[in-house]
Amino acid sequence: MHEPNGTTRTGDTRPLLLHARFSSTPRDARLARRLCGERLDAWGIPYGSDAHDVLSLLVSELATNAVIHGHVTGRDFRVHLLALSAPDAATLTIRVEVTDTRGDRLPELPATPAARAGKPAADSARTGGRGLFLVEALADRWGCVPRPDGPGKTVWAEYTVTRNEAVPRLNTSRRSVRS
């Protein structure tokens, strides 16, 4: 279940905003990523750009963590996507916030030096457990705060996009066909 309630504004300094609520399921974590991806594109961060890919990955990792680690039966998670600078500025800082209702499981990175250096763990065949490393590596800033309106927490990440970075990458793998 998702309830998008946001606005897209252009030409003013009020923030661009997306607010949506999702069921705590893997399917809705994917839906959150896709919905945020569409909104980013509408805000001028086009599909295929490095900035779009990074922000989509941040949404995906935080939403997946909310589903896996913040799940409380019968409770949803919320996603806020907020542009913190004017749309016509040279840079645009996007803040991703994912709120769940489980406040007793706070995110933390392993404190081992090898893990901080990005060296694979002994069980490197695992498919999970690396999400916050990605968030730490890609986001300009990230953190966790208690949920202000009830039990739980909000995990947030910020990424600043320069306007020249928000240009789609060229697909160099295609070859031109001459007739």
Side-chain angles (χ1 to χ4, degrees):
M1 151 180 162
H2 82 283
E3 297 174 2
N5 177 16
T7 57
T8 302
R9 298 183 184 113
T10 57
D12 64 24
T13 58
R14 291 179 289 178
L16 300 169
L17 173 68
L18 168 72
H19 170 74
R21 192 175 80 200
F22 299 91
S23 295
S24 236
T25 64
R27 178 180 179 271
D28 273 17
R30 287 189 304 272
L31 183 60
R33 178 184 51 82
R34 293 189 65 168
L35 181 63
C36 289
E38 288 178 10
R39 187 54 54 97
L40 291 167
D41 186 60
W43 289 350
I45 304 170
Y47 286 104
S49 66
D50 288 336
H52 191 280
D53 291 349
V54 167
L55 286 161
S56 293
L57 182 60
L58 291 173
V59 170
S60 179
E61 292 301 333
L62 295 181
T64 299
N65 281 352
V67 169
I68 293 172
H69 304 292
H71 177 76
V72 173
T73 303
R75 301 286 178 101
D76 299 332
F77 72 93
R78 296 184 309 208
V79 175
H80 284 96
L81 192 63
L82 179 66
L84 299 173
S85 41
D88 55 351
T91 62
L92 186 64
T93 299
I94 305 294
R95 182 177 175 105
V96 177
E97 296 180 351
V98 177
T99 302
D100 63 51
T101 54
R102 188 150 186 195
D104 60 329
R105 296 189 71 184
L106 299 177
E108 61 183 55
L109 288 173
T112 64
R116 284 240 177 241
K119 295 179 182 172
D123 57 348
S124 61
R126 292 183 328 170
T127 58
R130 295 180 182 89
L132 288 179
F133 285 119
L134 292 172
V135 171
E136 171 133 321
L138 297 174
D140 296 328
R141 293 165 291 291
W142 76 278
C144 179
V145 294
R147 182 177 166 188
D149 59 349
K153 64 188 170 298
T154 298
V155 182
W156 58 271
E158 292 179 357
Y159 182 77
T160 300
V161 180
T162 58
R163 289 299 177 178
N164 60 354
E165 181 185 7
V167 175
R169 293 184 309 268
L170 296 175
N171 185 349
T172 57
S173 63
R174 292 185 180 178
R175 296 182 183 188
S176 73
V177 177
R178 297 183 188 192
S179 39

